[in-house]
Amino acid sequence: MSRTQASLTAGQSPAATLGRMSSLLPPDRQLGVIGAGVMGRTLLRGLFDAQLLQPSQAWASAHSQASCDEVTSELGIPCFPGAATDLGLGLAQEGGLERRLLDTDVVLICVKPKQAADVVDALARNGVRRDTLLVSILAGVTTARLEQLLDLSNPWVRAMPNTPCVVGAGMTVVAGGTHASTAHLDLAQRIFASVGQCRIVDEAYCNAVTALSGSGPAYMYLMMEAMADAG
């Protein structure tokens, strides 16, 4: 049983356990979140609460200035406006996406699946380093597809978190692409373990996991609501 599993069994939060572990990245390295919506913010908050990452080590992008203002106010990190199609424009005010990517070891991609090509294109155009770990939570988009879009040897990890991550009780699975090593998968696992439990699986199971643990909680909420309405 892992330390995270043991702490959950004992009733402790994932953050309480992970906070006793070493930092996720060296002090001078960064983690970026493209798409700081509910899940993007949840993951950042989990990493900060677990003391795996400091706010000074993170940046984010969101689709509007209003959303960015919320992110900065809530998490204390720089956030840059810009839809996936003009990602570099929002970051231009701080020296551009290219400059940000120089110091970024991990990028979490938390946008809608239909935006995958635009985000990957922005990363390629702005010189993403080939050793940067790219973690996608895009439902239904395979690592093979992401590797094809980027056409570089970056390690990709596909993740499927679920909504209970918001309260630190999530269940996430991660699967590695062609260039993802055991170390990359371990790093991704630590990220998602900050908001619940995380398991490494073969990518062949990811679609089934999306249907079961990804969408399952929503069906349970629907059932509970129907039972409450019925009295």
Side-chain angles (χ1 to χ4, degrees), residues 146-161:
L146 294 167
E147 290 168 353
Q148 179 186 44
L149 288 171
L150 185 60
D151 197 26
L152 294 172
S153 58
N154 287 73
W156 280 94
V157 169
R158 178 181 177 184
M160 188 62 246

Side-chain angles (χ1 to χ4, degrees), residues 83-85 110-120 138:
T85 52
C110 305
V111 299
K112 297 183 184 301
K114 66 181 181 180
Q115 297 173 305
D118 291 326
V119 169
V120 172
L138 282 63

Side-chain angles (χ1 to χ4, degrees), residues 31-205:
L31 177 145
V33 174
I34 297 177
V38 173
M39 190 55 69
R41 296 185 209 183
T42 294
L43 293 170
L44 284 166
R45 193 181 305 111
L47 290 169
F48 296 158
D49 289 347
Q51 299 178 17
L52 290 176
L53 197 72
Q54 298 301 314
S56 60
Q57 293 179 278
W59 57 269
S61 71
H63 70 280
S64 69
Q65 184 61 58
S67 294
C68 280
D69 290 343
E70 290 179 8
V71 172
T72 299
S73 175
E74 178 185 338
L75 300 174
I77 66 171
C79 183
F80 311 99
T85 52
D86 59 358
L87 186 60
L89 298 180
L91 284 155
Q93 57 188 291
E94 292 292 327
L97 179 58
E98 182 176 5
R99 182 175 175 181
R100 282 277 161 184
L101 289 173
L102 286 175
D103 298 323
T104 300
D105 282 358
V106 182
V107 177
L108 305 182
I109 301 173
C110 305
V111 299
K112 297 183 184 301
K114 66 181 181 180
Q115 297 173 305
D118 291 326
V119 169
V120 172
D121 179 65
L123 291 172
R125 284 188 290 105
N126 286 277
V128 63
R129 296 191 345 259
R130 295 194 180 204
D131 60 345
T132 298
L133 173 61
L134 304 174
V135 181
S136 163
I137 68 166
L138 282 63
V141 182
T142 65
T143 57
R145 174 58 176 159
L146 294 167
E147 290 168 353
Q148 179 186 44
L149 288 171
L150 185 60
D151 197 26
L152 294 172
S153 58
N154 287 73
W156 280 94
V157 169
R158 178 181 177 184
M160 188 62 246
N162 59 9
T163 53
C165 288
V166 175
V167 293
M171 183 66 237
T172 303
V173 299
V174 294
T178 304
H179 306 290
S181 66
T182 299
H184 293 129
L185 284 167
D186 287 345
L187 185 62
Q189 190 173 33
R190 292 185 69 196
I191 292 171
F192 290 96
S194 71
V195 291
Q197 299 186 60
C198 183
R199 299 290 183 271
I200 299 171
V201 300
D202 187 283
E203 190 171 0
Y205 296 107

